[in-house]
Every structure is written in C-alpha cells, then in structure tokens.
Amino acid sequence: MRGTFATDGALGFDPFPLLRALDDAGSHAVVVGQVAGIMHGSTELTGDLDLLWDGTPEEADALRDALAACGCTELPDLDREQVGYRTTGAEGDLCTPALRWGDLDVTPCLTRAETTRDPAGFTIRYAALDDLIRMRRSLGRPKDHRRADQLAHLRRTRPLSG
C-alpha cells in the first residue's frame, strides 16, 4: 500500500470544520504550510493543515476547544513547540514561534496574517504571501524551495489591487 493512492493523506481531507471551530473558539492561530499556499493560488494539493499559534495559555485553551469540537479524542500536549494533531477531516502540526524555522523569526507572521471570510460566515487567518515564501525558503527542504518558487511566481504575476 505504501505510496499508492489508497495511502494519500489528502483522501478525506476537509479542513473547513476545524477552521470554523477555530474561529468559533476565538483562536488566532494562523494557517501556514500548503493550505496557506493554496489560499494564495497554489494548485499543489495537500493532506494536512498546519497552524502557527502564539503559545499562550489563552490560545492553547482555544485550540483545545476547537480540536475537541472536531472530534480530536487525544488532545496534544500544547506545552511543546511543535505537536501533531488529528481531527475528523484534518490533521497536521501545531507550531509556536519557539520552533526553529531556520534563521527566520516567525513571530511577526502572527500579526501580519491575512484574513478572509468563508461564505458560511467564519474568518480564516492565513500567512501573508511574503511571510509564507520566507517560511518556505527558511525550511530549506526541496519541496519547500519548489513551493516557494511557485509562490514567488504567483507574487510576480498577481494583478495589483486597489
């Protein structure tokens, strides 16, 4: 089964219930990783929802509430700088700025995050395009460089707003 369609992590992937639950719980977690890339126009699929959060006790409470609302029966240890989670429809990593992102300090990414309103009425916070490109480049893995290059191309070809 390894490497076949049946093992693809994108099967059954539905981040929207968790994204709604995050908003309902008052979380300020920011979508990072490939879901953020998709929100900026990337067409490369993913099967995980990675989130950056500030590491505060208040935000940890909001994250726990959202995870529990989405069927997470084993709540992760949020005292760690990076921890995996699994809910019905989504899984991924919860990362704090304490996690090493190469030489990049990701703390400002939390306040520079972009927002959008889902048609169902909830807010989604996601990494700004330039921050996401920097995050990808700082991680340095081949797939991150490839995705950063794609995002940089989108940046160059994006029509100017306003």
Side-chain angles (χ1 to χ4, degrees):
M1 295 285 292
R2 184 178 168 153
T4 68
F5 181 76
T7 62
D8 188 342
L11 288 175
F13 179 61
D14 182 5
F16 291 103
L18 181 55
L19 292 170
R20 173 186 280 270
L22 289 166
D23 187 54
D24 290 347
S27 172
H28 292 103
V30 173
V31 175
V32 295
Q34 188 54 18
V35 170
I38 291 167
M39 295 187 75
H40 286 291
S42 174
T43 57
E44 191 170 329
L45 298 178
T46 188
D48 63 352
L49 176 64
D50 298 323
L51 301 168
L52 177 66
W53 65 290
D54 63 13
T56 64
E58 297 80 17
E59 186 64 30
D61 289 343
L63 286 171
R64 283 187 199 94
D65 289 347
L67 291 168
C70 291
C72 183
T73 56
E74 293 185 35
L75 294 175
D77 177 4
L78 296 178
D79 289 330
R80 297 173 47 199
E81 58 193 29
Q82 178 181 14
V83 64
Y85 73 90
R86 181 179 300 226
T87 66
T88 303
E91 62 183 78
D93 290 315
L94 301 170
C95 306
T96 70
L99 179 67
R100 295 211 24 107
W101 296 75
D103 293 334
L104 181 65
D105 176 8
V106 297
T107 305
C109 300
L110 291 165
T111 56
R112 289 192 299 246
E114 297 186 22
T115 61
T116 190
R117 294 282 291 170
D118 183 85
F122 60 93
T123 299
I124 302 170
R125 296 170 44 87
Y126 61 103
L129 182 57
D130 290 336
D131 285 334
L132 188 58
I133 292 169
R134 281 190 289 273
M135 292 168 89
R136 291 281 191 206
R137 295 216 191 282
S138 72
L139 290 172
R141 300 174 298 188
K143 75 175 183 177
D144 292 309
H145 282 294
R146 181 184 74 246
R147 289 175 173 172
D149 291 344
Q150 181 191 45
L151 292 171
H153 176 75
L154 289 171
R155 160 62 75 218
R156 289 189 302 274
T157 60
R158 178 181 280 177
L160 295 175
S161 61

